[in-house]
Amino acid sequence: MNPDFTYDTARLNEVLCESSCTVTAADVERFRRLMGYPETSPGQLPVVPPSMGLTYGLRLGWEHSIFPPGVIRMGDDDVFGVPARAGDQLVTQFRIVEKFERKTRKFMKYEMRTHNQANEMVCSVSFTALIP
Amino acid sequence: MMTPAITACSGEKLPACEIRITQELIDAYASISGDFNPIHVDPQAAAASVFGGTVAHGCIPLEPVFQAIQHWSGAEALPPDTTIRIRYRAPSRPGDVIRADAQVAGEKFIDGRRSIEITFVCVNQQGERVIDGECDLVL
């Protein structure tokens, strides 16, 4: 596993990787359908549900093999900024902000912060994970 | 027209929202999020894990919380600077129906801005708590 991401060798509070994507209307509709949101009216641009913001960091984490298999998410501290819209170009940056042991178990706190093309924060997702 | 968020009273309940968990939903969420952790998508591997079977990504049983807040506030997006603290208490599994019960806990002022505190609990069909947390809706 990449030493940037392991408990013993991870550096804290540095951007360890990032990804970018363009939000498409099709992606948004797919998410909305999956989660039971009403269909977007014809001629309207679909609104990105806030909960879709949680997927950007997850995708980054798994694409870069940051999270060890079997990792268990314990809790989140999330902040939401401006809503994302279809057509936005989003950049998500990944940091490890904390690591600690409790009762012989190891935990890491990951932060995935997503900005749009105007450098406005869309969301910051931080979650504490139990490392297997 | 004033939105419910502006007229919020402590103890006011938000509309209850729920989601039915299926393996198809979990698999589709894995595809969207890129999270193919075996505990979510590999029944054999998950059966051998501490969970004894596949479990949903945490964001899936959390979804009714977002929808409850959005229905209540009448807005499709959360106001900027909204924060949510979440604790995952128990796994959600295919076949579960997760309901979010949320209510206004109070209000406070942060840097001169009014903030409505909402507490929420997500329970499964057996009444078991799977998620709880708080949301500060900054107006």
Side-chain angles (χ1 to χ4, degrees), chain A residues 12-74:
Chain A
L12 299 183
N13 297 309
E14 288 183 28
V15 176
L16 297 176
C17 61
E18 69 174 39
S19 69
S20 58
C21 70
T22 301
V23 181
T24 69
D27 290 341
V28 181
E29 273 311 332
R30 182 179 173 211
F31 186 87
R32 290 178 65 93
R33 258 198 315 276
L34 184 66
M35 291 303 186
Y37 286 87
E39 268 188 44
T40 305
S41 305
Q44 299 283 313
L45 268 183
V47 175
V48 177
S51 55
M52 189 172 167
L54 303 181
T55 66
Y56 301 127
L58 264 187
R59 174 166 287 284
L60 171 63
W62 287 103
E63 281 180 352
H64 286 258
S65 302
I66 291 167
F67 309 130
V71 66
I72 298 172
R73 191 168 179 160
M74 307 299 291

Side-chain angles (χ1 to χ4, degrees), chain A residues 30 35 37 51 59 78 80, chain B residues 31 33 63 67 81-82 84:
Chain A
R30 182 179 173 211
M35 291 303 186
Y37 286 87
S51 55
R59 174 166 287 284
D78 301 335
F80 294 84
Chain B
S31 173
S33 66
E63 180 64 37
Q67 297 195 11
D81 301 324
T82 292
I84 301 185

Side-chain angles (χ1 to χ4, degrees), chain B residues 56-112:
Chain B
H57 305 77
C59 302
I60 297 176
L62 180 64
E63 180 64 37
V65 173
F66 285 97
Q67 297 195 11
I69 294 171
Q70 291 164 240
H71 285 317
W72 176 73
S73 68
E76 288 200 276
L78 299 172
D81 301 324
T82 292
T83 61
I84 301 185
R85 295 172 296 284
I86 303 153
R87 294 172 291 278
Y88 299 98
R89 300 295 191 186
S92 300
R93 303 169 186 281
D96 283 354
V97 177
I98 307 298
R99 188 188 73 241
D101 294 322
Q103 66 175 25
V104 176
E107 68 174 31
K108 56 191 173 190
F109 285 84
I110 303 170
D111 297 331

